[in-house]
Amino acid sequence: MQVLTTVAAVRAARAGLGDLGLVPTMGYLHDGHLSLVAQAKGECSAVAASIFVNPTQFGPNEDLSRYPRDVPRDLALLEAAGVDLVFTPEPAQMYPAGFDASIVVGGVTGRLEGAVRPGHFAGVATVVAKLFNIVQPTRAYFGQKDAQQSVVIRKLVRDLDIPVEIVVAPTVREADGLALSSRNSYLTPAQRVAAPRLFQALSAGQRLFDGGERNADILRNTMRAMIEGEPAMQIDYISVADPLTLQELSTVEQQALVSGAVRLGATRLIDNVILGEPPA
Ligand code: AMP
């Protein structure tokens, strides 16, 4: 496995890699990341991963400085998973002095996470576009866990004609339903016990829908009430939205993205389920 830290080295290595899958990450890897690697391994002749805690997608009062990091462990996991190339740049490699560009994807970035985290998706779109230009993957793999991120990246690629196929893979969960996340390491034992409540609420919404409920307010109110029953948890938003435009729905006609963001103390958790997904 090649571990590279410069754009020039990645460009030189990429030439020999053929049909290449890219898994962009911020490191502190878990089985969710590794499921993306495994899927890429199955679909591409070579797999690259990036580890970069991208400063520009963090707001001024967010957790950039305390974001968990363990690059030696990450590299061991990626090597064991059969990754061919890892790109681990320093911030100055990605944002050298004088760097002054930003990609703003409109519309879908104003809602949900974008409404709570202004500037977040400009940071994401810009770094992902840079990674696509540097690594030039055939396919790039993202998790459904960050549903809005996938919507933004699909739009980025379509609107700017970036020649990469976007693959979105299912959310990997703990046995109690909590979506795996590097940020789960922030949770105290008591918060960890409370944390599955978000997915339990989303699942209750899913069950109501499966039972025939189509009124989005009823779904939202039911999910909110379940979360409000957990005193340690504060709601940022609970949404029943169109999966492509992310506009809130009043009635679920066919599909809906049901997503939520909550805070447990200083830790933010996000999760989602899709209603009306065609059977796999
Ligand atoms: P991150 O390191 O948190 O930026 O995540 C890197 C990639 O892994 C993103 O595409 C995430 O959507 C994806 N990911 C994070 N958590 C999970 C999970 N529990 N299941 C599947 N994919 C995930």
Side-chain angles (χ1 to χ4, degrees), residues 24-268:
T25 83
M26 298 206 299
Y28 213 70
L29 301 182
H30 51 63
D31 283 346
H33 299 112
L34 296 176
S35 75
L36 301 181
V37 170
Q39 185 161 347
K41 285 281 292 176
E43 296 174 359
C44 307
S45 53
V47 175
S50 58
I51 302 173
F52 181 58
V53 182
N54 175 37
T56 67
Q57 71 190 69
F58 288 77
N61 299 315
E62 293 184 0
D63 57 343
L64 174 61
S65 61
R66 68 179 186 124
Y67 195 83
R69 297 164 210 239
D70 190 345
V71 173
R73 178 175 174 275
D74 291 343
L75 293 178
L77 289 169
L78 293 173
E79 174 125 59
V83 166
D84 301 275
L85 185 162
V86 183
F87 181 41
T88 58
E90 292 296 325
Q93 181 66 210
M94 295 296 273
Y95 304 113
F99 181 93
D100 202 13
S102 178
I103 297 181
V104 175
V105 176
V108 293
T109 59
R111 311 179 201 287
L112 305 176
E113 287 299 285
V116 183
R117 306 181 69 190
H120 169 67
F121 285 117
V124 169
T126 304
V127 79
V128 169
K130 282 175 67 74
L131 290 169
F132 287 170
N133 283 330
I134 295 164
V135 178
Q136 301 190 18
T138 318
R139 295 181 198 87
Y141 293 81
F142 295 88
Q144 176 61 30
K145 152 116 189 327
D146 297 281
Q148 188 175 12
Q149 173 170 279
S150 300
V151 171
V152 170
I153 288 165
R154 283 192 195 283
K155 207 161 155 36
L156 167 79
V157 162
R158 194 180 56 229
D159 290 359
L160 298 185
D161 304 296
I162 302 178
V164 59
E165 181 188 333
I166 303 303
V167 182
V168 178
T171 302
V172 177
R173 301 178 180 285
E174 303 279 7
D176 62 9
L178 176 65
L180 297 191
S181 166
S182 308
R183 288 189 168 98
N184 292 350
S185 63
Y186 297 147
L187 298 172
T188 65
Q191 289 169 341
R192 175 63 188 83
V193 171
R197 182 66 68 103
L198 173 57
F199 181 61
Q200 287 162 6
L202 300 176
S203 302
Q206 172 120 54
R207 278 195 301 277
L208 273 182
F209 174 82
D210 290 343
E213 184 58 67
R214 295 292 180 268
N215 181 315
D217 272 336
I218 293 178
L219 300 178
R220 279 186 283 261
N221 291 340
T222 304
M223 295 187 283
R224 291 190 81 94
M226 275 189 72
I227 292 173
E228 283 161 4
E230 173 48 69
M233 206 171 249
Q234 276 83 47
I235 296 175
D236 271 354
Y237 61 80
I238 290 292
S239 161
V240 178
D242 179 278
L244 294 179
T245 66
L246 306 183
Q247 274 175 327
E248 291 301 317
L249 298 173
S250 52
T251 307
V252 184
E253 306 279 0
Q254 291 187 340
Q255 281 206 332
L257 172 68
V258 173
S259 63
V262 299
R263 278 168 288 121
L264 276 169
T267 302
R268 246 179 127 253

